[in-house]
Every structure is written in C-alpha cells, then in structure tokens.
Amino acid sequence: MMSTFRDYQNSVSDAWDTGDDEFCIISNATQQRAQQQFIRKAPGENAVKHFSSSEESHISRQVSQSAALNVIEIHRTGHNCTHQFSSNNNIAQHDNNIQIKANHDNSKQENLETNFRPRFHQIQALPGRPQLQKITSNTQDSEYETKIEKFKSLFESPLLDLVALKKISWSGVPRKMRAISWRLLSKYLPPAGERRNAVLESKRQGYQDLRQNYFKVDSQDESQQDTYRQIHIDVPRMNPQIALFQQKLVQEMFERILFIWSIRHPASGYVQGINDLVTPFFIVFLQEVLEPGTDIEKFDISTLTEEKRNAIEADSFWCLSKFLDCIQDNYIFAQLGIQEKVNQLKDLIQRIDGNLHRHLLVHGVDYLQFSFRWMNNLLTRELPLHCTIRLWDTYLAESDGFALFHLYVCAAFLLHWKEQLMQQSDFQGLLLLLQNLPTHNWSDRQINVLVAEAFRLKFTYADAPKHLETKS
C-alpha cells in the first residue's frame, strides 16, 4: 500500500496547477484511443463499425479508466495542460481527420463528435478547478449581528473564557469579530486582556526578526533554494482570477510566510497545498483593517502602510503555524497522515452508506482520486473562499483540534452529493463530478448544515472506533 500511495502522491504532485483540467486530458486521451483503434483495424470498414458500436452513445468504462490513467501519466511526466488545451481546441479538426462513420451514416458521426465537446466546454464553469471565489457573503452580517454583543462581552472580560468563546464561535463568527476571535482561538494571543497588546507587539516583532534571519534568498543552501523556487512557482497559481492575489506585494508576503514556515518545520518542509491554507488567514486579517464595503478582490494593497502590511503578514504566519500544528503529519514524508485519513474516510463511508461505497468501487473510483485533495487542502479547492472561512470558524473552535472533525466533514460532504453520484453510471462521470462539485453558489447556510451533519456523524461513530481502524 505504501508504494502505491507514494506512486499516487508523485503522480499528483502538480494537482493544484492553474492549468490543470482533468477532463481536457481525458477528452484527448479518449480521442487518441479512438485513433489507435481505428489505425489498428484500419484497412477495413469493420474497424469503423467496431468503434461505432462500442463508443457512439457513451464512453465505456474501459476507455474511461484508460483515460484516467492517461491523466495520471501526464501529471507524472510533467506535461503541461496548456498543451492539452491547444490540442483540444482543434478537436473538431481531429474528428474530421479520423473520419469515423457508422454504416456511412453522417448523422451518427455528428452525434459521436458532439459527445466530447459539450462536457469539455461545461467543465470551465465548474468549481473544482481554481475559480473566482466569492470572498464576501451578503447574508453573513445580518445573520450574525445578534452575536456581536456576546463576543464583545467576552473580549471585555479581564480573563477570557476560552470555552465560552469556542462555544459561540462554533456556529460562525461575525465578520467584525473574526480577526480577534481567530487570534484567540489559535492561542496566538493569551486569554488575559491586559497582556494581549504586549504579546501581539512582541510576536509581530518576532516575525520581523525571522524575516531577517531566514528570508535571505542569496544565502540559502541548495535545498532551501529549491523550496523557495517551488513556492515562487505555486503562489501565483492560487486564485489566478482574483486581482488581489496577482499583486506583487501580496505574492511576496505569501512567499515569505511559506518559506519561513517550511524552514522552521524541517520534518515536513513545504508541500503543495499548504499555500492554499494561508489565504483564509490573510483575508480575515486584511478585512480587519479595511473599511466596510471595500471591494477586497480588487483592493490595492500598496495603499496600506507598511506597518499594516507587516502586521497582516505576521498574524497570518503565526496563526497558520498554530493551525497546522495538529495536522503536520499530513505533510511529512509520504504524507502518512493523509494516507491514514483517506483510509478512514473509506471505512467510514462503507459503514454509513454501503450503497454509495459499493457504487464508487464497482465503477473503479479510488478514494485517493478525489479525497487526497480534500485532506491535503482542507476543502479549500472545493468551496468558495467565504465558505472556507466560515468552515474554519468551526475548525478553530473545535475543543480537541479539528483534525478528526475534518474527517467527518469530508464524510458529510461526500454524502451530500449521493443523489448526483448515484446517477452517474461510469468512472468518467463519477470522477468528473467528484473533482468538480458544484458549490459555486454555496453560502454560510450550506456550511452550517454541513458542520451540523458532520457533528452528528462524529457523535454517532466516534465512540465506535472500529470504523477508524486501518486494515492491514
């Protein structure tokens, strides 16, 4: 199992690239297979008939699985999906070159050609790829307004009741109260009110010292230079359609945060996916210093003073460090933590909903193929950004750390799509849906339902540990 997992890990090492689009590769792989079948049987019309009878109405399971293997192979060999896009843009021309005919019926040829095209274009609008994520939620302020006074009362206490703060934060934190709440829930700031300002100033200065000590690109050894180069490649790929994250100052802030974190955590170092986990903290602390109603997606961060930018960067670094402490085994060599959690998710779904579990297995879907990213990126690639922030209100408020709770959130998330998944009748359809779940219109209400269902599952199954035992 270990070697299989490592092979899989290597094959998806660039699974968060901006240009990735599994279906564009699947489409091309399927088309190549069609060409190969035609060429193999070419001299006769029988080859044409053979292909038409097996492929005209849908892509078979065998072809779908072959196409998915092609996806992994392309990832492994490092081919860029941009090339696949360019080749697929000429898909009609390839179809004409193949000249597939069934009993010389041109209408069947047209139907076969269009089988590939509509879903190829549709994939552009699905949210599993890096997407224009809504940073603000119009419904949140009015829904959480009544909670603001409760938060203020807690913060004004000389000694913060952290248990009470977790209790009211679990169901969502008002935007006005979120930055200070996250600092306290992360234990970045102490409960004692009189010490907070001094500690905050000290930690921010401490981060500036780390920048001076660690972030010296010219003096890095070879391994550190490799780490920095990878971070420098990954950061611009995050949220590529949002202008805020394409600003040089913002990217430099992210690079410093990630590089310094990796140097201070040599057991794991930098792993692709950690870059996405900086974003929620950065947005929350940026919102704190902006006027209400500011369009944060287009905000020019250079208009902030250097002091404010440094404070946002330092707070994001320290809170990220605290946040990752309980899931660092996700990012050590071979990412054993993720391997274990994927197996636990598989066992959990098998116990909760055997029909869905069997449906996935019968059609050849491995849990690694979709839940690896769920575990590695904590669903940040599956949800709009404001939904991720709302979800993290609950994660930070979890009394025993969020690592276990995230497993049940993933289970609830998968079960939420059961009806659509059961309607898919082949490997390709299942994998496309699982990697591009339509959450683009989700709001905090859907997240509230999701965490409530995850809590129910945890309450029901956490005391029945057999479902979490990893089978040898």
Side-chain angles (χ1 to χ4, degrees):
M1 176 63 190
M2 177 67 71
S3 60
T4 302
F5 180 81
R6 285 178 181 168
D7 291 343
Y8 176 79
Q9 180 194 29
N10 291 333
S11 73
V12 297
S13 62
D14 63 344
W16 302 274
D17 291 358
T18 298
D20 279 359
D21 190 321
E22 278 83 356
F23 187 70
C24 73
I25 304 171
I26 288 175
S27 294
N28 193 56
T30 307
Q31 191 176 342
Q32 289 174 353
R33 185 180 176 88
Q35 290 174 324
Q36 290 170 1
Q37 287 184 347
F38 180 79
I39 293 170
R40 234 182 358 249
K41 303 220 172 188
E45 211 169 281
N46 289 335
V48 177
K49 291 181 180 179
H50 171 77
F51 179 79
S52 175
S53 63
S54 62
E55 305 279 358
E56 79 170 29
S57 61
H58 65 279
I59 301 173
S60 70
R61 177 184 172 188
Q62 182 181 5
V63 174
S64 299
Q65 290 178 330
S66 176
L69 292 174
N70 186 272
V71 172
I72 296 175
E73 177 64 16
I74 289 175
H75 278 307
R76 186 184 68 79
T77 55
H79 292 175
N80 193 305
C81 193
T82 304
H83 172 71
Q84 300 295 339
F85 268 106
S86 63
S87 64
N88 278 278
N89 286 337
N90 297 320
I91 190 169
Q93 180 181 349
H94 285 295
D95 287 339
N96 291 333
N97 290 337
I98 298 174
Q99 293 292 317
I100 298 175
K101 297 179 182 178
N103 299 324
H104 303 286
D105 188 339
N106 291 330
S107 63
K108 288 188 177 181
Q109 177 186 359
E110 292 170 0
N111 290 335
L112 178 60
E113 291 174 350
T114 57
N115 276 343
F116 301 118
R117 281 198 284 270
R119 295 176 77 182
F120 169 69
H121 291 296
Q122 181 184 3
I123 201 73
Q124 308 293 335
L126 293 174
R129 302 289 79 210
Q131 58 178 313
L132 182 61
Q133 303 178 84
K134 294 184 292 184
I135 292 178
T136 58
S137 172
N138 296 328
T139 61
Q140 190 197 52
D141 285 339
S142 59
E143 290 181 354
Y144 296 152
E145 193 68 30
T146 57
K147 299 177 69 172
I148 290 179
E149 291 303 320
K150 295 180 181 179
F151 279 89
K152 286 182 177 179
S153 176
L154 282 174
F155 296 155
E156 291 169 358
S157 174
L159 186 64
L160 177 76
D161 185 344
L162 191 58
V163 174
L165 178 61
K166 288 182 177 181
K167 185 176 180 179
I168 65 171
S169 298
W170 199 94
S171 57
V173 180
R175 186 181 296 112
K176 296 176 183 177
M177 301 288 107
R178 183 169 276 134
I180 180 65
S181 297
W182 279 25
R183 292 188 187 101
L184 290 163
L185 291 170
S186 300
K187 298 182 180 178
Y188 171 42
L189 293 183
E194 62 182 11
R195 295 184 54 228
R196 285 177 203 155
N197 288 336
V199 170
L200 188 61
E201 183 179 348
S202 173
K203 297 293 282 185
R204 287 172 175 174
Q205 181 56 50
Y207 178 72
Q208 296 306 312
D209 294 340
L210 292 176
R211 282 179 53 174
Q212 294 297 321
N213 293 333
Y214 291 131
F215 199 78
K216 298 177 181 178
V217 178
D218 295 337
S219 62
Q220 295 166 9
D221 61 32
E222 185 175 349
S223 64
Q224 292 178 350
Q225 289 178 358
D226 290 341
T227 298
Y228 177 74
R229 278 195 294 268
Q230 186 61 55
I231 293 171
H232 188 68
I233 290 170
D234 290 344
V235 167
R237 295 172 172 174
M238 303 184 308
N239 307 300
Q241 300 94 340
I242 300 179
L244 173 67
F245 295 105
Q246 298 309 305
Q247 296 176 35
K248 184 178 179 181
L249 281 175
V250 173
Q251 293 181 359
E252 289 174 348
M253 293 166 74
F254 274 67
E255 288 174 0
R256 288 191 292 266
I257 290 169
L258 292 166
F259 181 76
I260 295 172
W261 185 88
S262 68
I263 296 300
R264 286 171 57 86
H265 295 81
S268 60
Y270 172 72
V271 176
Q272 283 182 309
I274 296 178
N275 51 318
D276 286 326
L277 306 185
V278 181
T279 306
F281 291 111
F282 177 81
I283 292 298
V284 166
F285 297 133
L286 176 58
Q287 284 179 326
E288 183 184 28
V289 301
L290 299 183
E291 294 294 328
T294 302
D295 186 354
I296 195 170
E297 295 183 9
K298 299 178 181 177
F299 179 74
D300 183 359
I301 201 167
S302 66
T303 60
L304 291 179
T305 64
E306 184 178 4
E307 181 182 3
K308 288 184 178 179
R309 294 199 304 269
N310 289 342
I312 293 168
E313 183 178 338
D315 292 355
S316 298
F317 170 81
W318 289 117
C319 286
L320 174 73
S321 299
K322 296 287 187 180
F323 188 73
L324 291 178
D325 279 349
C326 68
I327 57 167
Q328 191 174 350
D329 62 338
N330 283 9
Y331 306 108
I332 62 174
F333 177 73
Q335 298 190 251
L336 298 177
I338 291 181
Q339 178 183 358
E340 181 181 7
K341 289 180 177 67
V342 169
N343 287 333
Q344 290 176 352
L345 177 64
K346 180 179 180 179
D347 294 341
L348 182 58
I349 296 299
Q350 182 177 10
R351 188 170 186 192
I352 296 172
D353 195 322
N355 288 335
L356 176 58
H357 175 74
R358 285 189 293 273
H359 184 67
L360 295 176
L361 294 188
V362 164
H363 292 95
V365 176
D366 192 311
Y367 280 72
L368 272 174
Q369 292 167 321
F370 62 91
S371 63
F372 178 90
R373 188 170 71 188
W374 295 9
M375 302 298 180
N376 191 75
N377 298 58
L378 300 180
L379 293 176
T380 57
R381 287 284 165 148
E382 323 310 318
L383 299 170
L385 184 51
H386 72 271
C387 289
T388 298
I389 291 172
R390 163 61 194 93
L391 179 62
W392 285 21
D393 288 340
T394 299
Y395 281 3
L396 289 167
E398 272 292 297
S399 58
D400 56 352
F402 69 89
L404 178 61
F405 188 69
H406 180 67
L407 171 67
Y408 292 95
V409 169
C410 289
F413 190 62
L414 179 59
L415 293 169
H416 176 83
W417 306 103
K418 176 183 176 179
E419 182 178 351
Q420 293 93 317
L421 290 168
M422 296 299 289
Q423 292 173 358
Q424 301 298 322
S425 59
D426 58 20
F427 172 83
Q428 181 196 36
L430 282 166
L431 204 59
L432 280 174
L433 178 58
L434 285 165
Q435 293 184 340
N436 298 279
L437 293 166
T439 61
H440 50 285
N441 289 324
W442 275 33
S443 68
D444 291 357
R445 291 187 180 93
Q446 280 77 24
I447 299 300
N448 292 340
V449 172
L450 182 68
V451 297
E453 177 62 14
F455 178 82
R456 186 190 70 82
L457 294 175
K458 182 183 176 185
F459 181 81
T460 303
Y461 292 96
D463 291 331
K466 281 188 176 295
H467 76 87
L468 289 181
E469 291 179 359
T470 304
K471 298 178 181 178
S472 58

